[in-house]
Amino acid sequence: MNNIFRNIEDTRISISELMLPSHANFSGKIHGGYILKLMDQIAFACASKHSGTYCVTASVDTVDFLNPIDVGELVTMKASINYVGRTSMVVGIRVESQNIQTGKVKHCNSSYFTMVAKSDEDKQVTVPGIVINNEKEMRRFLEAIKRLEMKKKRQEEFNSDNFVAENYIEDLEKYNVKIEL
């Protein structure tokens, strides 16, 4: 068993970047793919800082674009370790944009990246645990556990070997769908 523990505060990271016209999509707002790229980079940095190893993205959960980001705004991303397993970590990321002329700040996204620590031989390696110092950190850890449990339950329920379509027809009646099985 790994007896190393790190404080969440010690591996917290933030980055800021001015949004340029080259980052914009066809509607003149910052392209969501560009923001995802930055989120992946900060998730890697945070997980690698915590684990002391190279890390890869295993999954991304809850990417909701809440507010658009304009060209000329300063985007700040804040990342911290919310949960650790044996070889994986959930990195919570908050994305905010600020109009640097008015000072107005918008919450644009919160997301959760699951990162896996790897050795130089591309094998999964054990990561340090985390020290929970306050209720907010405890809540985030427990939320990550619940998301993992719900994901596992959903995967089991809809596994193609176990799925029976007839069991769900009534569930779909209230949706804008026509069933023709």
Side-chain angles (χ1 to χ4, degrees):
M1 188 77 185
N2 185 5
N3 290 325
I4 300 170
F5 293 87
R6 294 210 169 105
N7 284 302
I8 294 170
E9 184 62 38
D10 295 338
T11 56
R12 194 165 282 150
I13 292 180
S14 67
I15 61 170
S16 296
E17 185 173 328
L18 185 63
M19 294 295 104
L20 303 174
S22 61
H23 304 139
N25 60 23
F26 296 112
S27 69
K29 302 297 182 185
I30 300 305
H31 195 281
Y34 185 73
I35 298 302
L36 283 171
K37 176 185 162 201
L38 294 176
M39 292 169 73
D40 192 51
Q41 289 174 357
I42 195 170
F44 165 80
C46 185
S48 292
K49 187 175 181 183
H50 177 78
S51 67
T53 65
Y54 178 76
C55 294
V56 296
T57 305
S59 69
V60 180
D61 190 11
T62 315
V63 179
D64 295 323
F65 293 98
L66 306 173
N67 287 295
I69 301 170
D70 294 313
V71 171
E73 289 186 328
L74 184 66
V75 167
T76 299
M77 296 188 182
K78 300 171 186 173
S80 65
I81 301 295
N82 287 4
Y83 167 87
V84 293
R86 190 178 65 76
T87 63
S88 67
M89 299 149 281
V90 173
V91 178
I93 303 169
R94 182 179 174 93
V95 180
E96 296 176 340
S97 69
Q98 181 181 30
N99 181 310
I100 56 176
Q101 294 169 332
T102 67
K104 182 180 178 190
V105 175
K106 297 182 289 189
H107 177 207
C108 299
N109 185 302
S110 289
S111 191
Y112 308 97
F113 279 57
T114 300
M115 308 297 289
V116 176
K118 296 282 194 159
S119 69
D120 292 338
E121 295 79 33
D122 201 36
K123 305 280 188 219
Q124 294 183 3
V125 295
T126 303
V127 299
I130 59 172
V131 178
I132 293 175
N133 289 303
N134 56 54
E135 286 185 20
K136 181 189 235 181
E137 292 173 353
M138 181 181 285
R139 178 181 49 79
R140 288 177 175 171
F141 193 93
L142 290 167
E143 285 175 339
I145 290 171
K146 292 296 182 185
R147 276 192 306 279
L148 291 168
E149 289 173 351
M150 289 183 342
K151 181 178 182 180
K152 184 177 180 182
K153 182 179 175 192
R154 184 177 62 247
Q155 287 171 337
E156 289 171 359
E157 181 177 356
F158 294 103
N159 178 309
S160 61
D161 294 336
N162 302 328
F163 183 75
V164 180
E166 291 79 26
N167 294 346
Y168 295 91
I169 292 175
E170 188 176 304
D171 293 343
L172 296 174
E173 289 176 355
K174 61 184 174 187
Y175 294 95
N176 187 19
V177 64
K178 181 178 178 182
I179 309 291
E180 293 182 351
L181 298 178

